């Protein structure tokens, strides 16, 4: 059964207004303030980006057993992401088929059946209506199962789409799976989750993520482990050659060990701003010499994950727009999930994963695996909050992006605006 995925659609006139606002952005420059601050733009983003794209919701290891579920809320909608009896993960709309009541108000749990709190209609774990006591016999239960949203598993990560006709997921799965598979997220467990409410528009959080121009000064821990900062302020051949050498050496080593290093569809950069495939990217890149993990001193601090036989696997980086990035090392992975909570609020969940058999306190300590990304993330949130305050000022004027250091931010902005300007047709 199909229902409109966007109950409060923008009118044609409102869409036109959004297109006009999007057109005001000067190429190579940051967005005008209205694109961060106008509620109409925010509604258009929900409709044309968030409700159309694939959203990362969580990891399969968060719901290992039949009946395990967590809820996922976007705007006024809620989904129940649940493992059913045959092991598959489904995303059910959290809306009773009797009178529409929210079925699950807990954020996670385990159920035999999903029972509505109002009149106790009961649904199987796959959403089928199994009992509705007190109803007349003519009721056709087969027509009254919980509605399903599109849901896909990708090597231990779960994605949903709220669209009736979602974008092509296979193209992303084919590109990302070979890189992600050896990380073993389907044989992992959550070591820790931290939730943040960041007082910034979701686009500001992405813009911050898409460059490392700010890293040298703001991320002392991150730059010790990663090469990103080198090309920031030193364009000398010596440094470039050093990076290229490290990359070539590592790629050769990984390739001969059967580890994928990149895929050809690099999302935003190859398809700058355009088309349905511009929403994902993944690559494996070396850490600086002496570092085998994104930890404060670069040491391995937990058992190797997945298929890794050697800690020297560099850092695996994956991102899917509009709401996920993941950085993984040989011994742990870190997923960051964004959700827009209003025009100037973004809920961010950071999740640390380790091998499923690793025992806390014995095989790893949270104080070893967490600080690197906790500090880097929190440094970023502070920058985002300051950026939000600035772009909300009456005297914010769009500024120029560095073509050396911020081309990926420019690509992200272009991607957003292309979606805001599109016709509103799925996949357009
Ligand atoms: O600094 C950032 O926002 C992202 C994450 C760490 C490095 N990176 C480019
Ligand atoms: Fe759910 Fe009545 S609204 S059983
Ligand atoms: Fe940062």
């Amino acid at each position: 059964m199909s229902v409109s995925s966007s109950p409060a659609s923008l009118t044609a006139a409102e869409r036109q207004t959004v297109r006009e606002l999007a057109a005001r952005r000067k190429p190579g420059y940051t967005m005008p303030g209205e694109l961060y601050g106008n509620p109409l733009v925010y509604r258009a983003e929900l409709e044309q980006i968030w409700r159309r794209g694939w959203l990362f919701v969580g990891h399969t290891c968060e719901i290992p057993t039949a009946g395990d579920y967590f809820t996922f809320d976007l705007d006024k909608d809620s989904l129940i992401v649940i493992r059913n009896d045959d092991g598959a993960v489904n995303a059910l709309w959290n809306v009773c088929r009797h009178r529409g009541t929210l079925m699950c108000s807990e954020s996670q749990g385990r159920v035999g059946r999903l029972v509505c709190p109002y009149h106790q209609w009961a649904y199987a774990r796959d959403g089928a209506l199994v009992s509705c006591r007190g109803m007349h016999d003519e009721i056709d239960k087969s027509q009254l199962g919980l509605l399903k949203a599109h849901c896909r598993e990708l090597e231990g990560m779960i994605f949903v789409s709220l669209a009736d006709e979602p974008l092509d997921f296979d193209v992303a799965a084919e590109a990302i799976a070979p890189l992600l598979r050896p990380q073993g997220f389907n044989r992992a467990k959550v070591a820790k989750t931290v939730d943040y409410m960041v007082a910034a528009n979701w686009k500001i959080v992405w813009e911050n993520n898409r460059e490392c121009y700010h890293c040298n000064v703001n991320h002392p821990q991150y730059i010790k482990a990663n090469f990103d900062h080198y090309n920031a302020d030193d364009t000398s051949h010596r440094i470039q050659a050093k990076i290229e050498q490290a990359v070539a050496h590592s790629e050769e080593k990984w390739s001969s060990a059967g580890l994928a290093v990149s895929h050809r569809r690099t999302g935003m950069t190859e398809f700058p701003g355009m088309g349905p495939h511009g929403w994902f990217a993944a690559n494996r890149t070396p850490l600086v010499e002496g570092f085998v993990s994104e930890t404060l001193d670069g040491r391995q601090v937990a058992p190797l994950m997945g298929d890794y036989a050697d800690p020297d696997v560099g850092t695996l980086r994956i991102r899917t727009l509009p709401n996920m990035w993941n950085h993984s090392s040989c011994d742990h992975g870190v997923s960051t999930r964004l959700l827009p909570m209003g025009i100037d609020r973004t809920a961010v969940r950071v999740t640390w994963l380790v091998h499923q058999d690793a025992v806390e306190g014995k095989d790893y300590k949270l104080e070893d695996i967490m600080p690197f990304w906790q500090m880097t993330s929190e440094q970023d949130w502070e920058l985002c909050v300051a950026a939000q305050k600035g772009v909300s000022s009456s005297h914010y004027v769009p500024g120029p992006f560095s073509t050396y250091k911020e081309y990926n931010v420019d690509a992200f902005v272009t991607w957003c605006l292309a979606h805001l300007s599109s016709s509103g047709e799925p996949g357009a």
Side-chain angles (χ1 to χ4, degrees):
M1 176 175 174
S2 168
V3 290
S4 165
S5 62
S6 186
S9 271
L10 269 67
T11 64
E14 285 171 330
R15 275 181 203 210
Q16 184 54 27
T17 305
V18 171
R19 272 196 285 272
E20 284 164 17
L21 288 173
R24 281 190 209 161
R25 185 251 177 173
K26 233 166 91 181
Y29 278 71
T30 62
M31 293 194 222
E34 274 200 278
L35 290 167
Y36 299 107
N38 186 325
L40 186 57
V41 172
Y42 180 72
R43 277 178 55 212
E45 288 167 353
L46 287 177
E47 182 174 308
Q48 302 198 193
I49 295 175
W50 289 83
R51 288 178 179 280
R52 273 207 225 152
W54 284 95
L55 307 178
F56 168 68
V57 292
H59 307 89
T60 55
C61 64
E62 294 173 58
I63 45 173
T65 306
D68 287 347
Y69 73 87
F70 58 81
T71 55
F72 173 80
D73 299 344
L74 178 79
D75 191 23
K76 291 182 180 155
D77 280 312
S78 179
L79 297 175
I80 306 165
V81 180
I82 183 166
R83 191 176 291 276
N84 69 26
D85 296 329
D86 66 18
V89 174
N90 282 330
L92 308 172
W93 290 91
N94 194 357
V95 181
C96 181
R97 294 298 304 282
H98 178 218
R99 276 165 53 193
T101 299
L102 189 77
M103 294 284 309
C104 286
S105 43
E106 299 292 325
S107 61
Q108 58 181 39
R110 179 180 296 172
V111 287
R113 286 179 173 178
L114 290 157
V115 180
C116 178
Y118 210 163
H119 314 94
Q120 291 74 49
W121 281 28
Y123 302 85
R125 289 156 165 173
D126 65 359
L129 179 61
V130 288
S131 86
C132 50
R133 52 132 187 111
M135 295 298 292
H136 43 287
D137 292 343
E138 293 76 22
I139 288 292
D140 180 358
K141 291 213 275 288
S142 72
Q143 298 302 305
L144 291 168
L146 295 176
L147 299 176
K148 281 187 182 145
H150 296 275
C151 181
R152 292 288 300 266
E153 291 175 48
L154 173 54
E155 296 299 330
M157 304 188 90
I158 308 170
F159 292 83
V160 303
S161 176
L162 306 191
D164 293 338
E165 291 174 41
L167 299 180
D168 185 0
F169 190 80
D170 291 338
V171 68
E174 281 163 25
I176 295 171
L179 283 128
L180 184 53
R181 191 169 301 127
Q183 190 68 38
F185 280 170
N186 43 22
R187 287 165 278 154
K189 68 170 190 179
V190 171
K192 183 72 181 176
T193 295
V194 179
D195 283 310
Y196 298 94
M197 188 61 75
V198 180
N201 183 276
W202 70 275
K203 301 189 295 300
I204 286 180
V205 181
W206 265 116
E207 288 165 357
N208 173 73
N209 174 270
R210 298 312 307 121
E211 48 93 357
C212 228
Y213 188 14
H214 68 274
C215 293
N216 273 348
V217 169
N218 293 287
H219 294 316
Q221 299 79 21
Y222 183 84
I223 60 161
K224 259 181 87 181
N226 284 280
F227 280 109
D228 305 47
H229 65 297
Y230 280 119
N231 57 12
D233 291 321
D234 187 340
T235 51
S236 74
H237 293 309
R238 191 177 58 81
I239 294 299
Q240 289 303 341
K242 184 175 166 178
I243 298 168
E244 278 163 26
Q245 214 178 11
V247 169
H249 173 78
S250 298
E251 289 191 354
E252 202 184 301
K253 179 177 164 180
W254 296 331
S255 299
S256 53
L259 283 182
V261 290
S262 72
H263 61 85
R264 272 172 299 149
R265 298 175 195 274
T266 53
M268 290 180 290
T269 40
E270 272 185 28
F271 300 91
M274 306 307 285
H277 299 326
W279 59 274
F280 60 86
N283 76 305
R284 183 182 298 282
T285 192
L287 291 168
V288 303
E289 209 180 326
F291 276 69
V292 294
S293 181
E294 288 191 323
T295 55
L296 295 183
D297 62 7
R299 276 184 309 122
Q300 179 186 343
V301 292
L304 293 177
M305 289 188 80
D307 301 336
Y308 299 142
D310 179 338
D312 179 17
V313 296
T315 174
L316 174 63
R317 299 173 179 179
I318 302 171
R319 60 179 179 278
T320 58
L321 288 172
N323 86 327
M324 190 282 294
W325 63 82
N326 176 286
H327 286 236
S328 288
S329 297
C330 64
D331 55 350
H332 72 289
V334 186
S335 299
T336 302
R337 182 188 86 172
L338 309 184
L339 282 177
M341 299 300 286
I343 197 151
D344 55 4
R345 289 275 179 286
T346 304
V348 186
R349 170 168 292 182
V350 184
T351 304
W352 283 259
L353 299 155
V354 293
H355 192 286
Q356 63 185 2
D357 299 332
V359 178
E360 189 186 337
K362 179 169 158 278
D363 299 318
Y364 69 94
K365 295 194 187 81
L366 291 178
E367 69 211 54
D368 291 331
I369 64 167
M370 285 183 66
F372 186 98
W373 274 105
Q374 185 166 12
M375 291 166 102
T376 302
S377 302
E378 290 171 10
Q379 289 153 0
D380 279 326
W381 310 156
E382 208 176 305
L383 296 168
C384 292
V385 171
Q388 174 68 46
K389 286 185 179 153
V391 302
S392 308
S393 159
S394 61
H395 279 60
Y396 161 63
V397 182
F401 288 129
S402 162
T403 53
Y404 298 130
K405 300 161 192 169
E406 292 170 301
Y407 50 88
N408 276 328
V409 191
D410 198 22
F412 167 74
V413 169
T414 306
W415 180 90
C416 281
L417 299 182
H419 283 272
L420 285 181
S421 306
S422 71
S423 65
E425 295 307 316

Coordinates of all heavy atoms in Angstrom, one line a residue, residues 4-11 14 43 47 51 75-76:
S4 N 1.0 9.0 0.6 CA 1.9 10.1 0.3 C 3.0 10.1 1.4 O 2.8 10.0 2.6 CB 1.2 11.4 0.3 OG 2.1 12.4 0.4
S5 N 4.3 10.2 0.9 CA 5.4 10.2 1.9 C 5.6 11.6 2.5 O 6.3 11.8 3.4 CB 6.7 9.7 1.2 OG 7.0 10.6 0.2
S6 N 4.9 12.6 1.9 CA 5.1 13.9 2.4 C 3.8 14.6 2.6 O 3.2 15.3 1.7 CB 6.0 14.7 1.4 OG 6.3 15.9 1.9
P7 N 3.1 14.4 3.8 CA 1.8 14.9 3.9 C 1.6 16.4 3.7 O 0.6 16.8 3.2 CB 1.4 14.4 5.4 CG 2.7 13.9 6.0 CD 3.7 13.8 4.9
A8 N 2.6 17.1 4.2 CA 2.4 18.6 4.1 C 3.3 19.1 3.0 O 4.3 19.9 3.2 CB 2.7 19.3 5.4
S9 N 3.0 18.7 1.7 CA 3.8 19.1 0.6 C 3.9 20.6 0.4 O 2.9 21.3 0.7 CB 3.3 18.5 -0.7 OG 3.8 17.3 -0.9
L10 N 5.0 21.1 -0.1 CA 5.1 22.5 -0.4 C 4.2 22.8 -1.6 O 4.0 22.0 -2.5 CB 6.5 22.9 -0.8 CG 7.4 23.4 0.4 CD1 7.7 22.3 1.4 CD2 8.7 23.9 -0.2
T11 N 3.6 24.0 -1.6 CA 2.8 24.4 -2.8 C 3.8 24.7 -4.0 O 5.0 25.0 -3.7 CB 1.9 25.6 -2.5 OG1 2.8 26.7 -2.2 CG2 1.0 25.4 -1.3
E14 N 5.4 27.9 -3.2 CA 6.5 27.8 -2.2 C 7.8 27.2 -2.8 O 8.9 27.7 -2.5 CB 6.0 27.0 -1.0 CG 5.0 27.7 -0.1 CD 4.4 26.8 0.9 OE1 4.2 25.6 0.7 OE2 4.0 27.3 2.0
R43 N 11.6 23.3 5.5 CA 10.5 22.3 5.0 C 10.9 21.7 3.7 O 10.6 20.5 3.4 CB 9.2 23.1 4.9 CG 8.5 23.2 6.3 CD 7.2 23.9 6.2 NE 6.3 23.4 5.2 CZ 5.4 24.1 4.5 NH1 5.4 25.4 4.6 NH2 4.6 23.5 3.6
E47 N 11.4 17.7 2.7 CA 10.7 17.1 1.6 C 11.6 16.6 0.5 O 11.4 15.5 0.0 CB 9.7 18.1 1.1 CG 8.8 17.5 0.0 CD 7.7 18.5 -0.4 OE1 7.0 19.0 0.5 OE2 7.5 18.8 -1.6
R51 N 13.3 13.3 3.0 CA 12.3 12.3 2.7 C 12.5 11.5 1.4 O 11.8 10.6 1.1 CB 10.9 12.9 2.7 CG 10.4 13.3 4.1 CD 9.1 14.0 4.0 NE 8.6 14.4 5.3 CZ 8.1 13.5 6.2 NH1 7.8 12.3 5.8 NH2 7.7 13.9 7.4
D75 N 11.2 14.4 11.7 CA 10.1 15.4 11.6 C 8.9 14.8 12.4 O 9.0 14.5 13.5 CB 9.8 15.6 10.1 CG 8.8 16.7 9.8 OD1 8.7 17.6 10.6 OD2 8.2 16.7 8.7
K76 N 7.7 14.7 11.8 CA 6.6 14.2 12.5 C 6.4 12.7 12.4 O 5.4 12.1 12.8 CB 5.3 14.9 12.1 CG 5.3 16.3 12.5 CD 4.0 17.0 12.1 CE 4.1 18.5 12.5 NZ 3.2 19.3 11.7

